[in-house]
Amino acid sequence: MTHTYMRPVPPRFTWALTAVTFLVATNLCCATTAVADDGPSVPPGTEATASAPVELDRNDPDLKLPEGATLAEPKVLDIKTVVEDQSGDERREDTNSDVTFALQAEVLFGKDSAKLGAEAKARIVTIAGEIKTQNATKVRVFGFTDNLGSSAHGDVLSRRRANAVQAILGQELSDANITYEVRGYGEQYPIADNSTEAGRKKNRRVEITFPRTAS
C-alpha cells in the first residue's frame, strides 16, 4: 500500500490519506425514485473481492517467461482518495468511478431523531452541488447506526435518516432523470470499533454515493 498526497480539496477539508487499492466495479439498477430495502445492494467498498493471491517462490524456474514471451499490458490501478475534516464530522472518498460523502449523524440529527437541522441541510445542499458537477443520474443514500439498542430499532432509524437526507437532495436537485437508492443498514457495516464512544460516533452516519462522470 502506498501513501501519498493528492490534489487540493474544498477548504473545509484536510488531507487524510491516499491509498492504492483494487475495487470491484458494481452497476446498480434503480427502477424508482426510492428503492426498497429488500435488494442485494451493499455499501460501496464492502463488495466481495477476489481471494488473496497465492504466495509464490520467486526462485521457481517455472515462473520465468518462456523465450519470446512478453508481459501483459499494464493495468491502471484505482486511486482512492480519502479526505476528512478536522472534526471527523464529514468524510469524502474519491475513486476513479465513484464519489462518497459520509456525514456523521450528530451533525445531521438530534439524538435518536431523523429530523434534520439547519446546518445539516446546508451540508446536504453542498453535496447536491457536487452531484450536479458530476452530472450523476444515480444516487445511493445509505443510513447506519451503532450497535446500541435493538437491531430492529437501528434498522428503522437508519432508514428514516436516509429518507430525510434523500428528501433534501431531491428538492435541491429537482431532476426527474436522477434515481435514488435509499437503504437503512442499522448496525451493519461498521467502520469503527463499537466498543468505544468514539467508534460508535463514526458508525452513526449517512453515506451519499454517486458515479464520477466528470473529469
Side-chain angles (χ1 to χ4, degrees):
M1 180 177 291
T2 302
H3 297 275
T4 180
Y5 286 100
M6 303 299 293
R7 62 184 183 282
V9 295
R12 73 169 180 270
F13 293 108
T14 57
W15 284 109
L17 60 87
T18 302
V20 178
T21 182
F22 290 101
L23 296 180
V24 177
T26 303
N27 293 322
L28 292 177
C29 296
C30 302
T32 60
T33 298
V35 181
D37 275 343
D38 53 0
S41 295
V42 296
T46 60
E47 298 89 346
T49 58
S51 58
V54 178
E55 292 187 8
L56 301 176
D57 179 3
R58 66 177 62 187
N59 297 317
D60 190 335
D62 292 333
L63 295 180
K64 295 182 180 179
L65 287 175
E67 185 176 352
T70 59
L71 294 174
E73 290 295 322
K75 294 182 179 180
V76 178
L77 301 181
D78 201 5
I79 304 300
K80 183 176 183 178
T81 306
V82 181
V83 180
E84 187 173 275
D85 64 6
Q86 290 181 331
S87 65
D89 292 342
E90 185 171 335
R91 186 181 75 255
R92 172 175 175 157
E93 295 183 6
D94 288 82
T95 70
N96 293 347
S97 57
D98 294 301
V99 179
T100 298
F101 284 90
L103 299 174
Q104 289 189 0
E106 276 76 0
V107 303
L108 299 176
F109 310 98
K111 184 177 181 180
D112 203 30
S113 170
K115 183 178 180 180
L116 289 164
E119 181 184 353
K121 292 180 180 179
R123 287 177 181 254
I124 297 169
V125 167
T126 299
I127 296 174
E130 181 65 18
I131 294 174
K132 290 179 181 178
T133 298
Q134 297 297 334
N135 296 315
T137 57
K138 294 182 180 179
V139 179
R140 291 178 286 182
V141 185
F142 295 159
F144 306 86
T145 63
D146 58 29
N147 66 348
L148 299 181
S150 71
S151 176
H153 178 71
D155 291 345
V156 172
L157 179 61
S158 62
R159 175 58 188 264
R160 290 177 57 211
R161 287 176 168 176
N163 283 340
V165 171
Q166 186 275 326
I168 299 300
L169 289 174
Q171 293 172 10
E172 182 66 19
L173 295 170
S174 187
D175 187 342
N177 293 320
I178 298 179
T179 56
Y180 297 87
E181 181 181 6
V182 184
R183 298 180 183 277
Y185 286 100
E187 64 187 57
Q188 298 183 71
Y189 306 107
I191 58 174
D193 187 356
N194 269 316
S195 66
T196 67
E197 177 53 29
R200 290 191 293 270
K201 182 178 179 182
K202 289 186 176 181
N203 291 333
R204 298 189 294 265
R205 68 197 190 279
V206 174
E207 295 185 357
I208 303 167
T209 301
F210 45 91
R212 173 184 294 283
T213 55
S215 58

